[in-house]
Amino acid sequence: MLLVGQPNVGKSLFLNTLTGAKVIVSNYPGTTVDVTEGRTKVGDELWEFIDTPGIYSLTPSSEEEKVTYRLILEGNYDFVIHILDALALERNLIISLQLAELGVPFMIAVNFYEEALKKGMEIDLKALEELLGVPVVVINPFKKEIEKLKNAFKSVGKSNYSIQYDDHIEEMIEIIEREIDYEGKFSKRGIAVKILEEGDMVCRLLNLNKFENLKERYKTVHPNMTKDIVITRAGYAFYISQKILTHREEKANKLNLLDNFILNNPIGSAVFSLSVLSLIFLGLFYIGGWFQDALGNLFEEYIESLSAYLSAYHPLLDVLVTNAFIGLAAGISIAVPYVGIFYIFLTFMEDTGLLSRFIIALNGLMSRLNLPAKSIIPLMLGFGCSVPAIKSTRVLSNFKDRFKVAILYSVVPCSSRNAILFGVVGHYAGMGYLVLIYLTLLIVFIITSKILGIVISKEKLPVVEEMPPYRMPVVRNLLVKAWVRMEDFVKVVIPLLIAGGILYGMLEYYDLTAFIVKPFRFLTVNWLGLPANTIIPLLYGFLQKDLVIAMLANAMGTYDFGAVLSKLQIFTFGLASSIQIPCMIAFGMLIKEFGLKRALIVTISDFIYGMLIAGLIYRLALLI
């Protein structure tokens, strides 16, 4: 079964509840879009659910919509479960109408029904069921309502509801129905509408003709076919929602004072944005710092006793194993707490509805920085990971804006760079130096965006962001989603930390580090005022920024960095590690999205830019 629905309708929580959080997350073939699969056993039957990316329509425009649309057209499922948000009926019903039109067997699972009742909304679900001719059930993602679903599954079928378009569009639909050579599970009429609406994908996936000549013939009466179809369908969604929905007047017009303050008041937007950023900052600094101390002390005792034991056997074995454990210790005690805590904060903001409001509240700032309004969405994603953030620039309307935002990721610290800043700078140099780094990054971001705004023109477009109601998060679901986001770090990066430690141990044992360190002394010692060995983590970090802390520990022979580096040196190292394209994977994504030449120019320029700024600020600090 496919789970389909708009963003923030509770699909992921519904899947986690049904399957006991035993889910598999993978990229849809040929994309970086995540698709989640889960299985659960009911009696002797094994049910398999596929959670598709959140979409607003089956008229594909974004990568997420293309993946969901393709999964539906591929037809490898028994039926579709459309998760519908009771608080936004009209907007959600557009997907139901598209499923009905295509002849897809589906049912509707209504979420947030109780919340709708509390807001004075009364929904006639029986009338909706009769209108569309498909089962409609109320769900509660917090409960494993297997029996209710099992009963609904028995009556799932195709909808008998039909949308009537204007005469010219109906003429074209009839012509295409007569001429297409198709026998399959979908409605010929629905396919004909899709050919007129978007053409390329449905024709490619079902091996059909494109009928471009037919569209050209009717172009004078319908110059924008897709728009006319979309508007008609939206009108039907409005009609159905009005037919089944009534409001109790005393609650219907009640204003949300908090949202008014946050979104419509400049002072409220500033207070809210600063509060969110401060909570994340303080949470990472204090909670992450506590975990770092606790885990670091455990590893330190173990490594000392291990080294004493191994040195009696062979010095090479001692160097290799000890360095491997230093890398592992730095990763688990420093990187894991900060990355994990960040993703818990991010998931909490998503599940409570705060993230959307945070994005909208920062919208005004974007225009002042010569950035398109919608750029706040990919920039916010950049605080998590630069790789999907670079891909998410596709939400912007033109290539220039996308490239401009991609350049700015060099000064938007991802979770891995945040781990370096909090775990190294904050922990060993103190909060003052940590705040100074973030202020520096902010100033550099503003200057860079202003320069890019002059060099690259900006297109003024409004930001469109789903704003769900405030909700209490489910702790179990919050932890599962946070784990899914950082699972790659644990499974991929931790082994790399160990391998990096072993590699550095071999270089150190055979006295080969000088071949790497010596040519870069002009940069580390002369320009940045750092020990020569720090070039190893600075360069090695390009493979993966999560490796920087471990390689710094290997290079310094300890992860008690305060014992071997001054506070100013720690600050300079943190700054030099932050202003650059974060890793090889992000570099690969830049190549994919913007081409090799642009990716090389951006990456090399950002590295030079970062080293230049770090060295200048180091010299300024010496003068002060």
Side-chain angles (χ1 to χ4, degrees), residues 381-399:
L381 287 174
F383 284 100
C385 179
S386 300
V387 178
I390 291 169
K391 187 175 179 64
S392 75
T393 58
R394 292 182 180 185
V395 303
L396 303 176
S397 59
N398 62 68
F399 184 86

Side-chain angles (χ1 to χ4, degrees), residues 90 510 539:
E90 181 185 335
Y510 291 107
L539 294 177

